[in-house]
Amino acid sequence: KRQRGISETSVSASASIIPYEKEDNNELNHHKDMFDITTYVKTTAATDVLRSEITALRADLDHERSLRSLERRKAEQSDARLRRQVQFHLDEVDEVQNLLEEVRKQSEQDLKKMREARTETLVSLRDCEKRLSIAVDRIEAGGGLEDGVEG
């Protein structure tokens, strides 16, 4: 009999602990709802953190893009400035070469004129020496300068 009493007690005790099927669903639903809320809160918090990280990363990306764009513009401006400077110097080189060519030509012309003037001066000097020699010879011979010395 005692075994039967224990069994009954066990059955009645277990019946009061284990909820009915409807209560069991409510209990599971309650736990499910708690899981969903907790998961939702955790997911929302994680989503918010991820969104703020994405926003920060986008801001960093925009900043980096802006810096790269600025650097690219500076590089393009520097390149254009250097190209203008190179062109300016090339133009100066051309101009200097042209001037140098003009100076060379003028120098050659001046040198030619000086050679011609030297030749004329030498011819004139020889003529003067010749006339002087004739005049000296006449004076030494006792004659006058009027006889045959011109100029």
Side-chain angles (χ1 to χ4, degrees):
K1 240 187 171 179
R2 191 168 161 115
Q3 282 183 337
R4 197 170 184 215
I6 292 174
S7 301
E8 286 177 31
T9 309
S10 298
V11 170
S12 65
S14 63
S16 65
I17 294 174
I18 299 174
Y20 294 104
E21 188 173 353
K22 187 174 184 183
E23 287 178 14
D24 188 30
N25 282 342
N26 286 338
E27 186 72 21
L28 286 175
N29 285 339
H30 174 71
H31 287 295
K32 184 179 174 188
D33 289 344
M34 289 300 290
F35 177 76
D36 287 345
I37 291 172
T38 304
T39 303
Y40 175 76
V41 169
K42 287 180 183 177
T43 304
T44 302
T47 302
D48 289 345
V49 168
L50 289 174
R51 282 187 179 139
S52 68
E53 286 181 20
I54 288 171
T55 302
L57 288 172
R58 283 184 178 157
D60 287 346
L61 180 61
D62 289 344
H63 179 70
E64 287 298 321
R65 284 180 176 164
S66 176
L67 288 176
R68 297 299 168 257
S69 175
L70 190 70
E71 288 172 0
R72 187 172 35 257
R73 276 184 281 172
K74 282 183 179 179
E76 288 170 356
Q77 289 172 351
S78 178
D79 183 59
R81 180 179 43 80
L82 290 173
R83 288 181 188 275
R84 285 191 307 270
Q85 286 178 348
V86 165
Q87 187 59 48
F88 173 77
H89 291 299
L90 288 173
D91 292 345
E92 278 190 338
V93 165
D94 288 343
E95 189 175 322
V96 167
Q97 286 177 339
N98 290 337
L99 288 173
L100 188 59
E101 182 64 24
E102 287 178 23
V103 168
R104 186 188 61 76
K105 287 179 181 178
Q106 185 65 43
S107 176
E108 287 177 359
Q109 289 174 357
D110 292 345
L111 188 59
K112 183 179 177 184
K113 287 178 183 178
M114 288 175 19
R115 284 183 182 146
E116 290 171 356
R118 179 178 167 251
T119 303
E120 288 176 12
T121 303
L122 285 174
V123 167
S124 178
L125 180 62
R126 285 186 193 130
D127 185 48
C128 286
E129 284 176 345
K130 196 187 247 185
R131 287 190 340 218
L132 179 63
S133 175
I134 294 171
V136 168
D137 287 345
R138 284 192 181 165
I139 291 175
E140 288 177 353
L145 290 176
E146 296 89 25
D147 300 338
V149 180
E150 294 179 15

